[in-house]
Amino acid sequence: MISPSWPIPNSGTGFAVTSALRQYIDSFCGIHFVGLVDHPFVQRDLWYSYPIKFSHVPIKRYSRSIRFILSLASQYPAICWQFLGKKISDRIVGIIAEERRKDPRIVVIFEDLPIPMALLAIIRSRIPNLCVAVRSENVASKIFVKLRSSGSYFHRFAWGIEIAKICKREIMVRKLADQLWAISKNDLEEYKEHLNVQCDGVFSVSVDVNRYSLVPPGDSRTLVSIGTVDMRKSLGLQKFIEKSWPEVVRRYPTAKLLLGGANSEQFADLRMNVLALGRVGDDRDILSQGLIMLNTQEIGSGINLKSIVAMVSGKALVSTQKGVEGIEGKAGEHFLVAPDVVSLAPLILELMDNPDRARQMGKAAQELASTVYSEAHLSEQVQPLLRNLVLRACLKIDPSLFAV
């Protein structure tokens, strides 16, 4: 299992990786978890009772601007640049080769797309007869499409080049992988329509239902938002604070917007009752303070895990369309959806005016999400995919064993 994040549910990728790892534990006799991460794994004890070996392949996380500059004269897109380099590829090939010597039936599973974009072709050239699956967390080339049509000429030109490179690499990954799994039905269709790529199935996510089931309802005049504020999320959040939040504060001067997540500090504004705590140890500390959960994401792909966490926690979710894309639920019953960030304020005020409706919506969302995004439900979905992957690995070793 080769991952860009450790199995800690403190980010979207961390959530997705953790839920996948729990499924792999049920399917394989042993797991070698390889983290291409910029820091060591300090919470191994959480997994001590499972047959998992952890290896750290250190990477350097470059800033977005540096990655863009480095990629300009390269065939590789900026999103995978931090995973490139002979030292990294040699280490990964060495780990795979050693495990293969122990047992030729191994399978290699990449979590998310940037790592296989950088390394899969190299691995295939050095270990040809290898069974490989890629679990995509989003249609990578779709994430940044809106950025190609806004900003300066240079900005649009640079994003056009980046998106073209990502498309090319995504198609390459599909050709080189034995299996490609989308994270949602919506993404599966996007692959087909956007890239003419056929996925082999959907490998969604699960949430620790017990962890969030007892989160208190929170204050009806406190709006909460959790999750790392990266480039995709910062654009929508900034627009919301500037154009929508003042409308809420005019109606309710004591209303608070509470932000928790890495890089959220930049949005703190005590004059407008915007409290930003930055990275927090436990997202439940934030969730417990507000009845209404906000998702302002306008660009991206995949499935928005903080929206699922809000639902499982019994929060009344108010979101853009992008924030609930691919998520099970019905607008108006399980969450409220606005066409854009500017249109979120009336929906928030609607719930603040009627806290009983907010609590009812949160309860309906919790009942749905606690079933649909449970580990048991995910297992029903993915175990056939994993059995098929193991069969492919065995066929590569000796096809005659399965001759009819």
Side-chain angles (χ1 to χ4, degrees), residues 48-68:
Y48 78 94
S49 60
Y50 300 105
I52 307 173
K53 175 183 178 180
F54 289 97
S55 292
H56 181 207
V57 178
I59 63 166
K60 183 177 180 180
R61 292 202 182 275
Y62 298 99
S63 68
R64 186 171 72 247
S65 57
I66 290 177
R67 281 186 280 129
F68 261 118

Side-chain angles (χ1 to χ4, degrees), residues 151-166:
S152 66
Y153 171 79
F154 176 77
H155 182 273
R156 297 195 304 270
F157 179 73
W159 275 112
I161 293 174
E162 173 73 359
I163 291 167
K165 289 179 180 178
I166 295 174

Side-chain angles (χ1 to χ4, degrees), residues 83 85-94 119 122-123 126:
F83 304 115
K86 189 174 186 303
K87 187 174 181 180
I88 292 175
S89 59
D90 285 350
R91 180 79 190 281
I92 295 296
V93 169
L119 299 177
I122 298 169
I123 293 170
R126 296 173 65 177

Side-chain angles (χ1 to χ4, degrees), residues 141-354:
S141 52
K142 188 86 185 298
I143 296 174
F144 308 107
V145 166
K146 282 192 176 182
L147 299 176
R148 189 175 54 189
S149 57
S150 63
S152 66
Y153 171 79
F154 176 77
H155 182 273
R156 297 195 304 270
F157 179 73
W159 275 112
I161 293 174
E162 173 73 359
I163 291 167
K165 289 179 180 178
I166 295 174
C167 284
K168 186 175 180 179
R169 285 279 148 181
E170 276 189 296
I171 293 170
M172 179 213 73
V173 167
R174 164 68 282 188
K175 290 178 179 177
L176 293 178
D178 295 280
Q179 296 271 281
L180 174 64
W181 303 321
I183 202 167
S184 69
K185 294 178 182 176
N186 186 76
D187 268 22
L188 186 140
E189 293 301 320
E190 289 282 0
Y191 268 113
K192 193 183 302 181
E193 295 172 12
H194 185 62
L195 292 173
N196 196 28
V197 162
Q198 185 72 43
C199 293
D200 297 290
V202 174
F203 193 133
S204 188
V205 295
S206 65
V207 174
D208 186 344
V209 174
N210 292 330
R211 172 181 166 81
Y212 295 101
S213 61
L214 298 179
V215 171
D219 178 42
S220 62
R221 304 283 171 83
T222 298
L223 188 64
V224 297
S225 176
I226 59 171
T228 300
V229 182
D230 57 17
M231 181 190 67
R232 290 171 290 167
K233 298 169 186 173
S234 64
L235 297 173
L237 187 55
Q238 181 71 49
K239 192 187 299 183
F240 173 80
I241 292 172
E242 291 177 355
K243 299 185 177 182
S244 294
W245 181 241
E247 186 178 340
V248 177
V249 175
R250 276 194 295 271
R251 174 87 65 84
Y252 293 107
T254 60
K256 292 187 296 185
L257 173 58
L258 183 59
L259 310 176
N263 306 320
S264 64
E265 307 95 316
Q266 59 187 300
F267 298 104
D269 187 346
L270 295 180
R271 293 173 301 174
M272 291 297 295
N273 300 341
V274 180
L275 310 178
L277 304 182
R279 190 185 297 274
V280 294
D282 192 332
D283 55 0
R284 292 173 297 181
D285 294 337
I286 302 292
L287 291 165
S288 64
Q289 296 189 50
L291 176 60
I292 306 170
M293 168 80 173
L294 173 71
N295 191 329
T296 60
Q297 189 164 335
E298 288 190 311
I299 63 173
S301 180
I303 199 166
N304 200 300
L305 282 152
K306 71 177 182 179
S307 290
I308 296 174
V309 168
M311 294 171 69
V312 174
S313 301
K315 302 300 164 182
L317 174 63
V318 179
S319 175
T320 57
Q321 186 62 52
K322 184 63 66 175
V324 294
E325 192 173 78
I327 291 177
E328 298 288 339
K330 183 179 179 181
E333 182 179 347
H334 302 104
F335 38 67
L336 296 183
V337 183
D340 52 52
V341 168
V342 178
S343 305
L344 287 169
L347 301 182
I348 294 166
L349 289 171
E350 182 182 331
L351 294 178
M352 286 186 174
D353 289 342
N354 190 348

